[in-house]
Amino acid sequence: ISVNDICKDGGIFKKILVEGEGWQNPKDLDEVFVKYEASLEDGTVVSKSDGVEFTVQDGYFCPALSKAVKTMKKGERVLLTVKPQYAFGETGKVASRDEGGVPPNAILQINLELISWKIVSEVTNDKKVLKRILKEGEGYERPNDGALVKVKLIGKLQDGTVFVKKGHDEEEPFEFKIDEEQVVDGLDKAVKKMKKGEIALITIQPEYAFGVFDSPQELAIVPGNSIVYYEVELVSFVKEKESWDMNTQEKIEAAGKKKEEGNVLFKAGKYVRASKRYEKAVSFIEYDSSFSDDEKQQVKLLKVSCNLNNAACKLKLKEYKEAAKLCSKVLEIDSKNVKALYRRAQAYIQLVDLDLAELDI
């Protein structure tokens, strides 16, 4: 039987007693469910549990448990030999009513079994929207922007108050379109990362939920600055058609539609979302080898107006390099386009490229 030095410093040796299944290991954010028994070298049991759940990065009992579970597979059972630095160190641990004491500098033997775990992932890079999978979905497909999704959901506050409930008690599933601001931002982003049939618990910080003010919902008021929790089942979804499934006329129509949506968002001051619409519009007509001559003319006009409008978004967002690039793309198509020259000059001024700005003006 192989013995692994899992921290590469001789601090924790792991001997596998029962092999686990699959290939995945728990990660820092995941919630693991384990059984363990910890004893001193003379066999005295100091702590045991037939089932305890904890978040890997928060750890449990002693530092060795979370270090070890990150190397284990589902169903794996191991014997750990733990040096003091990953147990209770030079101070040891005082006995309590439920657990025995650990003397200073004691080595522990821990029998540990990883029964299961719930995968928790970051939906946003700032850890403010977390998705914990309660039941795995099927296949690989996930909704895209514009997809029509059907969900069952229950929204709760931290104290358990239910503020919304949809698609339960024989009610039809709740339908909404991804990236159309029909639900709070955190829910929108999380559902986009779900698979059909998946059930997940989504934890959303106020910035991605209802913000700083009280918000009356269907069944209760969500107070300002509330963290909210949604239990969501993705019943089904229909993806928005992608460009490779369209003929040339459909691509031009889809690009025109996205451009109009972008214009509405721009007027409403929603520059990030408007910019995404203009980018999507251009992606439909990017490669124009199969367009007829008439269509090529339409495509040219659309590309010019979408890139110009997107440059205006980027100027508003203070993303001056991007704005300049988009104007340059327009000038490749139409070298005397006044708006493009003017907007590029604005961008260059902000980038303190005054010589280049003067050329454009």
Side-chain angles (χ1 to χ4, degrees):
I1 299 171
S2 68
V3 174
N4 289 338
D5 174 7
I6 60 179
C7 294
K8 305 280 183 277
D9 59 2
I12 306 171
F13 286 105
K14 177 180 106 167
K15 184 161 101 181
I16 296 176
L17 306 176
V18 177
E19 291 278 352
E21 57 190 65
W23 50 272
Q24 287 181 298
N25 309 112
K27 306 276 187 292
D28 276 340
L29 293 170
D30 295 345
E31 291 173 11
V32 292
F33 188 61
V34 304
K35 267 165 104 162
Y36 76 93
E37 184 175 285
S39 45
L40 303 174
E41 285 182 293
D42 65 5
T44 308
V45 174
V46 290
S47 179
K48 67 180 285 187
S49 171
D50 282 334
V52 64
E53 191 170 50
F54 64 91
T55 300
V56 175
Q57 67 184 7
D58 294 346
Y60 190 81
F61 179 60
C62 72
L65 284 199
S66 62
K67 297 253 185 243
V69 292
K70 284 171 77 170
T71 71
M72 294 170 72
K73 300 181 179 80
K74 186 180 175 181
E76 187 173 314
R77 197 154 69 81
V78 301
L79 179 64
L80 304 174
T81 303
V82 184
K83 297 276 174 68
Q85 70 260 39
Y86 292 107
F88 294 96
E90 293 174 7
T91 51
K93 174 177 172 289
V94 179
S96 63
R97 205 179 53 178
D98 305 329
E99 297 190 334
V102 177
N105 296 313
I107 291 173
L108 293 180
Q109 298 281 336
I110 302 177
N111 203 309
L112 175 65
E113 181 181 352
L114 175 57
I115 298 166
S116 64
W117 77 89
K118 297 190 179 98
I119 296 171
V120 178
S121 57
E122 294 174 36
V123 174
T124 54
N125 294 332
D126 53 13
K127 292 190 171 68
K128 290 188 174 175
V129 183
L130 298 178
K131 177 169 79 78
R132 173 176 154 210
I133 297 175
L134 305 179
K135 176 176 166 274
E136 288 278 356
E138 56 194 61
Y140 296 98
E141 291 276 305
R142 292 183 171 88
N144 57 356
D145 283 341
L148 182 67
V149 299
K150 290 186 179 185
V151 298
K152 293 180 182 180
L153 64 82
I154 298 174
K156 293 181 183 175
L157 301 175
Q158 257 173 321
D159 64 5
T161 304
V162 174
F163 61 84
V164 68
K165 190 174 184 182
K166 291 182 185 289
H168 290 273
D169 311 321
E170 297 183 18
E171 184 186 283
E172 283 293 298
F174 172 57
E175 277 191 7
F176 69 93
K177 266 189 163 186
I178 297 278
D179 198 36
E180 291 286 353
E181 292 190 323
Q182 294 173 358
V183 294
V184 295
D185 196 24
L187 181 58
D188 204 60
K189 285 178 160 60
V191 171
K192 195 180 163 188
K193 297 202 171 189
M194 291 174 73
K195 296 174 186 170
K196 185 184 173 182
E198 183 179 319
I199 300 175
L201 180 69
I202 298 157
T203 305
I204 308 175
Q205 299 292 325
E207 299 93 308
Y208 291 93
F210 297 97
V212 294
F213 300 111
D214 291 0
S215 177
Q217 295 301 302
E218 214 170 277
L219 305 173
I221 289 174
V222 175
N225 286 320
S226 291
I227 296 171
V228 294
Y229 304 85
Y230 287 94
E231 188 170 306
V232 182
E233 178 181 347
L234 179 54
V235 179
S236 65
F237 61 90
V238 180
K239 290 179 89 161
E240 185 170 81
K241 217 174 181 184
E242 298 283 9
S243 62
W244 53 81
D245 292 325
M246 297 178 178
N247 63 34
T248 52
Q249 204 45 49
E250 285 174 325
K251 285 180 185 179
I252 290 169
E253 280 167 21
K257 186 165 164 276
K258 289 289 169 202
K259 180 191 140 184
E260 291 312 317
E261 288 172 11
N263 292 350
V264 170
L265 289 163
F266 186 89
K267 286 191 180 96
K270 293 173 181 172
Y271 305 120
V272 173
R273 296 188 64 238
S275 174
K276 265 176 77 179
R277 289 294 198 278
Y278 295 132
E279 278 162 21
K280 186 77 178 167
V282 171
S283 76
F284 283 124
I285 51 174
E286 193 87 73
Y287 306 106
D288 54 8
S289 54
S290 50
F291 291 116
S292 69
D293 288 346
D294 280 356
E295 287 172 338
K296 278 182 180 163
Q297 201 47 43
Q298 288 174 275
V299 163
K300 193 170 148 179
L301 291 171
L302 267 171
K303 275 187 185 171
V304 164
S305 60
C306 287
N307 284 328
L308 272 177
N309 293 359
N310 197 4
C313 291
K314 299 296 187 189
L315 286 172
K316 293 278 190 192
L317 295 166
K318 300 187 165 46
E319 292 174 22
Y320 301 115
K321 270 191 180 143
E322 291 303 313
K325 265 189 212 161
L326 287 158
C327 292
S328 297
K329 276 187 182 175
V330 171
L331 293 162
E332 280 167 27
I333 302 169
D334 174 6
S335 61
K336 293 189 169 57
N337 188 292
V338 176
K339 276 187 182 172
L341 289 165
Y342 178 65
R343 281 179 195 162
R344 191 167 70 172
Q346 285 179 293
Y348 283 153
I349 287 165
Q350 295 298 336
L351 292 165
V352 200
D353 222 333
L354 291 174
D355 294 345
L356 285 169
E358 271 177 22
L359 281 176
D360 277 353
I361 297 165

